[in-house]
């Protein structure tokens, strides 16, 4: 399951609490067939980046997220313990739960998916209420991210 | 001296799926040089053509970002752990707006 109901509920709570900033985080899993699951809410440092260098980072946190490198280091340490990044989530503010061109661009490294096995979950938050959620996966055939069923196993 | 380098998922194509490699180098610059010698596909992923670290890549020595140390000149000692961490980022509509309708997906 991409996100269990209790995990999606935690994402909803985070997304609404951090509104009007985009929220972000990952789900790490380890083992099969019943993997350990660790939902790791992350800090969006987009506003700090914008304040430091508005030319390089023209967006603020209402339209972009940038996971705190300290959280990325934590993710890396978990990966070294056998976890994998199963889901990467973030919120969109007052717009739909779609995989934006920016999402796509940042999900690629030299044209290849950075996390080819991960599911990207986008939740839409409108007026501080989560109104929609959608999931996207890399499709090698079309070489693009395509929608997938959020509740699929 | 030998340091352990953590290779994150996005860069493992370049290291034949190795998540950790041991490198001998006196400093971070030397470590990146040696990494690119051993794993040529890493060229361009971590640094640009001028040898500068891409702004979307962070490098840590143990738990400290090299920006807070001596950057590429940060000295390494035996047993240090270096982590190369690419950014995880994205965002919604453009600055000018124009995202899909609220119900879009």
């Amino acid at each position: 399951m991409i996100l269990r109901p209790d995990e999606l509920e935690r994402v909803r709570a985070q997304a609404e609490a951090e509104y009007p900033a985009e929220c972000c985080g990952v789900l790490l899993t380890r083992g099969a067939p019943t993997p350990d699951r660790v939902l790791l809410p992350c800090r969006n440092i987009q506003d700090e980046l914008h304040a430091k260098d508005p030319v390089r980072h023209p967006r603020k946190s209402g339209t972009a997220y940038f996971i705190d490198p300290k959280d990325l280091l934590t993710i890396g340490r978990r990966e070294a313990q056998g976890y994998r990044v199963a889901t990467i989530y973030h919120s969109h503010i007052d717009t739909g739960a779609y995989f934006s061109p920016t999402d796509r661009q940042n999900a690629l490294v030299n044209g290849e998916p950075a996390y080819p096995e991960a599911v990207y979950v986008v939740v839409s938050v409108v007026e501080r209420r989560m109104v929609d959620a959608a999931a996207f996966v890399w499709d090698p055939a079309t070489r693009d991210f395509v929608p997938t069923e959020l509740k699929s196993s | 001296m030998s340091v352990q380098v953590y290779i994150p998922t996005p860069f493992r194509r370049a290291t034949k799926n190795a998540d950790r490699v041991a490198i001998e180098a006196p400093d971070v610059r030397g470590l990146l040089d040696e990494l690119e010698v051993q794993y040529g596909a890493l060229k361009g992923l971590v640094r640009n053509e001028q040898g500068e670290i891409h702004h979307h890549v962070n490098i840590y020595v143990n738990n400290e970002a090299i920006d807070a140390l001596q950057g590429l000149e940060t000295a390494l000692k035996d047993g240090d752990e270096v982590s190369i961490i690419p950014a995880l980022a994205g965002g919604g509509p453009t600055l000018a707006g124009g995202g899909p309708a609220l119900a879009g997906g």
Side-chain angles (χ1 to χ4, degrees), chain A residues 67-130:
Chain A
I67 290 182
D68 188 337
K70 291 175 183 168
D71 289 322
L72 296 176
L73 190 59
T74 299
I75 294 167
R77 298 233 180 280
R78 289 282 191 171
E79 282 191 305
Q81 295 168 356
Y83 285 88
R84 69 181 184 89
V85 177
T87 302
I88 301 164
Y89 68 86
H90 73 283
S91 59
H92 282 177
I93 302 302
D94 296 330
T95 188
Y98 66 103
F99 206 65
S100 73
T102 305
D103 293 331
R104 184 183 190 282
Q105 177 184 328
N106 284 290
L108 300 173
V109 174
N110 280 6
E112 296 294 329
Y115 294 90
E117 296 176 1
V119 179
Y120 287 80
V121 170
V122 183
V123 302
S124 167
V125 185
V126 177
E127 296 177 351
R128 202 176 283 280
R129 289 194 62 189
M130 189 178 97

Side-chain angles (χ1 to χ4, degrees), chain B:
Chain B
M1 77 186 65
S2 179
V3 301
Q4 287 288 318
V5 185
Y6 167 71
I7 307 294
T9 298
F11 293 165
R12 285 182 199 156
R13 284 188 202 88
T15 59
K16 300 172 184 172
N17 283 325
D19 59 358
R20 283 182 178 279
V21 298
I23 296 288
E24 295 194 5
D27 54 27
V28 172
R29 186 188 303 279
L31 178 140
L32 295 176
D33 289 343
E34 184 59 26
L35 262 180
E36 290 175 356
V37 168
Q38 294 190 24
Y39 303 99
L42 275 174
K43 280 186 180 174
L45 290 181
V46 180
R47 296 188 290 186
N48 61 23
E49 290 179 353
Q50 287 72 46
E52 302 161 336
I53 298 169
H54 288 304
H55 71 268
H56 61 271
V57 174
N58 295 279
I59 297 181
Y60 290 79
V61 175
N62 301 318
N63 287 315
E64 197 78 35
I66 63 168
D67 293 346
L69 301 171
Q70 284 76 49
L72 287 168
E73 316 311 322
T74 301
L76 299 172
K77 62 182 185 300
D78 205 31
D80 276 347
E81 184 176 87
V82 175
S83 299
I84 302 172
I85 307 287
L88 202 43
T94 62
L95 287 172
L102 292 179

